């Protein structure tokens, strides 16, 4: 197994939505720090490609596929991990989608799809994993919130509501799970040059607006989220729970 570091040696990290994008970036960072990483995704072919890519680099990596919007499928998937792979030390609820549409025209189907994937899944996966962590009296859960957990932008009502919900669910989970020595925190990315945000980055008008609106005058780079994630997953955050760490280039701090 390749070990670029040892801070997570002997730890098992499960990240939903990690076959690509930010989730896969986080998976590689944890793997480089010595962790056993469990990848997750609904597209089995893409998931296997991601696993093989990390396996070729010598990382200790596994892959599971289940629908995070199906509570029974989630329970079975988590049982499989705990019983056949390894106990989960750190959970990252990262799976998410965005459907851009105006409030007046968004369909119920699109609304429900976003809420189920972005919010319901955090409850389903978090509850299933926390049940095992509670027995061990140890665990860390990191939920992916957003700058839009605090603010709103035109044309993404479901996404905004879902991320606001994840923020408050993070706090609710933290309070209920604190007695079991489980810390629950969130990261709140601003605008990063991710696969999901490529349409925005390619839009010259939006790109110009964003750089003017952001005090640091640029998009974030995915790797700039990783230090915060490692901190929340590590021992340095043992007395920290129910908090959202915003990494946004200063947007929330400015008018």
């Amino acid at each position: 197994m390749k070990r670029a570091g040892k801070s997570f040696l002997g730890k098992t990290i499960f990240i939903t939505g990690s076959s690509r994008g930010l989730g896969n970036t986080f998976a590689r960072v944890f793997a480089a720090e010595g962790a056993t990483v469990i990848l997750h995704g609904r597209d089995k072919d893409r998931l296997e490609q991601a696993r093989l890519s990390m396996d070729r680099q010598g990382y200790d990596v596994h892959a599971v596929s289940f629908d995070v919007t199906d509570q029974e499928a989630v329970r079975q998937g988590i049982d499989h991990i705990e019983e056949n792979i390894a106990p989960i030390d750190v959970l990252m609820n990262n799976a998410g989608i965005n459907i851009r549409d105006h409030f007046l025209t968004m369909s119920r189907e699109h609304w429900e799809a976003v809420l189920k994937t972005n919010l319901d899944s955090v409850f389903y996966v978090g509850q299933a994993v926390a049940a095992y962590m509670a027995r061990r009296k140890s665990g860390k859960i990191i939920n992916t919130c957003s700058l839009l957990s605090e603010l709103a932008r035109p044309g993404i009502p479901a996404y905004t509501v879902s991320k606001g919900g994840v923020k408050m669910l993070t706090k609710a989970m933290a309070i209920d799970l604190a007695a079991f020595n489980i810390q629950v925190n969130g990261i709140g990315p601003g605008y990063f040059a991710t696969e999901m945000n490529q349409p925005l980055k390619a839009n010259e008008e939006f790109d110009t607006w964003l750089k003017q609106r952001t005090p640091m005058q640029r998009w974030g780079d995915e790797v700039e989220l990783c230090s915060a994630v490692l901190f929340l997953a590590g021992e340095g955050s043992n007395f920290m729970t129910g908090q959202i760490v915003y990494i946004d280039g200063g947007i929330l701090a400015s008018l």
Side-chain angles (χ1 to χ4, degrees):
M1 180 177 72
K2 182 177 179 179
R3 295 173 186 162
K6 296 183 179 180
S7 58
F8 286 89
L9 186 63
K11 299 292 186 179
T12 298
I13 321 292
F14 174 50
I15 308 173
T16 65
S18 51
S19 63
R20 63 178 181 176
L22 278 178
N24 194 252
T25 298
F26 296 145
R28 291 175 180 276
V29 168
F30 278 117
E33 291 291 335
T36 296
V37 174
I38 303 172
L39 301 175
H40 165 270
R42 281 189 283 191
D43 185 324
K44 293 183 179 180
D45 291 337
R46 179 181 290 144
L47 180 64
E48 179 60 11
Q49 290 173 8
R51 188 197 67 79
L52 285 173
S53 175
M54 292 182 66
D55 182 70
R56 292 189 191 103
Q57 292 181 274
Y59 293 134
D60 187 356
V61 59
H62 303 264
V64 296
S65 179
F66 56 81
D67 183 355
V68 293
T69 70
D70 181 332
Q71 189 172 25
E72 184 56 34
V74 167
R75 286 174 179 164
Q76 292 178 10
I78 299 305
D79 286 347
H80 169 74
I81 292 171
E82 289 277 344
E83 295 168 9
N84 298 292
I85 301 178
I88 298 169
D89 297 295
V90 179
L91 163 66
M92 278 203 70
N93 279 307
N94 178 75
I97 62 171
N98 189 11
I99 299 176
R100 301 180 188 280
D101 201 350
H102 193 278
F103 176 77
L104 291 175
T105 56
M106 174 165 272
S107 67
R108 186 182 72 182
E109 289 74 19
H110 283 172
W111 171 268
E112 291 179 348
V114 174
L115 269 292
K116 286 179 180 178
T117 303
N118 294 5
L119 180 56
D120 291 0
S121 71
V122 177
F123 171 69
Y124 296 153
V125 180
Q127 187 182 63
V129 173
Y132 282 98
M133 290 180 170
R135 297 172 200 168
R136 296 189 287 267
K137 295 291 175 63
S138 177
K140 290 184 179 289
I141 298 175
I142 304 169
N143 295 331
T144 302
C145 300
S146 169
L147 175 64
L148 298 176
S149 295
E150 301 288 346
L151 302 173
R153 283 280 304 159
I156 46 173
Y159 185 84
T160 303
V161 170
S162 71
K163 291 302 182 179
V166 173
K167 178 188 77 169
M168 296 311 298
L169 180 55
T170 298
K171 294 177 181 293
M173 291 168 65
I175 300 308
D176 278 358
L177 298 175
F180 300 96
N181 191 32
I182 301 169
Q183 294 84 53
V184 187
N185 295 290
I187 57 165
Y191 283 92
F192 282 74
T194 62
E195 181 180 352
M196 181 182 288
N197 282 333
Q198 280 309 305
L200 293 177
K201 198 170 189 305
N203 184 313
E204 185 176 347
E205 181 180 357
F206 185 88
D207 181 65
T208 300
W209 172 85
L210 177 66
K211 290 173 181 176
Q212 291 174 344
R213 176 66 179 82
T214 306
M216 295 185 72
Q217 300 181 1
R218 64 176 177 85
W219 291 76
D221 188 291
E222 290 183 1
V223 298
E224 294 174 305
L225 290 169
C226 295
S227 293
V229 168
L230 290 173
F231 168 71
L232 293 177
E235 294 183 358
S237 62
N238 281 353
F239 198 56
M240 175 181 175
T241 198
Q243 303 301 310
I244 313 300
V245 179
Y246 291 100
I247 308 101
D248 66 352
I251 292 178
L252 280 177
S254 65
L255 288 173

